[in-house]
Each structure stands twice: as structure tokens, then as C-alpha cells.
Amino acid sequence: YQRRVHGGPVSNLDAAHIVGIMFESNFIGIVFSRTLHFQFYVWYFHTLPFLLWSRATLPAQYLSAAPWLWLGKALSHGFCLAFILAIEIVWNIFPPRPESSMLLTGLHLTLLALLLFSPVRREVSKAAKQVN
């Protein structure tokens, strides 16, 4: 997909970038909604793997602390799986309790912070500045 912004140069947008923006927008809406119902989880649970593995990767300085590269990748995959499992468990607690609600809010805010400070986001913004 190519776009021209206000008569400027043509920039290429790949499918992963477009889908990422849509999934991030949906997730931000979930994070800041006043109440959560189980159908909201159905709206965004399938986006969590994409957001965690392709958008909210752990920064390289944390992965480079591992003595072997495969260990760093395993830690990253383990973190993502544990994160999804924690969200799944919290959503399946019925009736909801204040502790589970606080844990879900904390998980959501953690993912939001990972998305905000993601190396992927910095690379995309650097590329956008170079085009403009």
C-alpha cells in the first residue's frame, strides 16, 4: 500500500504496520475503558500474540544480558507466553474480585508501556522521519 501525504513523497506502508496500528488502537481502547466485560476479551485476545511478539519485543539490552542468544530468545518467548497465560487466567476468574481487576489493569498497563517504548516503534518513527 502506498500513500501520498499532502502532495509529499510517496511512503510505503506494509500490512504488518497497518494491522499493528489497528490492533494497538483497539488495545488502547480496552486499557482506558471504564468497565470491562468478557466480550471485550473476545475482541482483543487474538491480537495479543501479534502485539507481544511483533510489536512489544523486549529491548535488546535485556536480551543481550543472556549469555547465549538462544537463551535470550527463550526468555522473550517465555515472557510472552506467561503474559498471555496471566491475562487468560485473570479474565476467567468469576466473580471478579478487586485483586483480579488490579492485576488485569497492571498487565494491560505493562503491555501498553512495552508497546510505547518498543524498539519496533522507534524504528518505524525513524523511517517516517527519513521519508519526510
Side-chain angles (χ1 to χ4, degrees):
Y1 177 73
Q2 293 185 341
R3 68 179 179 139
R4 184 176 299 275
V5 180
H6 303 295
V10 174
S11 65
N12 292 324
L13 297 175
D14 63 341
H17 180 70
I18 294 169
V19 169
I21 289 173
M22 291 172 53
F23 286 176
E24 286 178 8
S25 300
N26 186 40
F27 182 70
I28 289 169
I30 294 291
V31 170
F32 292 104
S33 66
R34 290 185 62 180
T35 61
L36 291 177
H37 304 281
F38 194 77
Q39 71 258 22
F40 292 1
Y41 181 54
V42 174
W43 292 345
Y44 85 103
F45 84 97
H46 58 281
T47 67
L48 290 175
F50 179 85
L51 291 175
L52 282 165
W53 268 279
S54 68
R55 304 295 273 196
T57 57
L58 291 174
Q61 65 264 24
Y62 297 124
L63 295 179
S64 64
W68 301 283
L69 182 61
W70 66 268
L71 180 59
K73 289 182 181 178
L75 288 173
S76 180
H77 292 310
F79 171 79
C80 292
L81 288 172
F83 203 91
I84 290 174
L85 182 64
I87 288 179
E88 177 72 25
I89 289 170
V90 170
W91 268 107
N92 285 308
I93 293 175
F94 189 81
R97 298 184 204 128
E99 299 86 15
S100 62
S101 297
M102 289 180 0
L103 181 58
L104 182 62
T105 301
L107 289 166
H108 282 164
L109 291 174
T110 301
L111 179 54
L112 188 63
L114 282 171
L115 290 170
L116 183 63
F117 298 110
S118 167
V120 173
R121 177 169 301 287
R122 285 192 291 273
E123 290 170 13
V124 168
S125 66
K126 283 181 189 174
K129 287 178 183 175
Q130 289 175 354
V131 169
N132 295 331

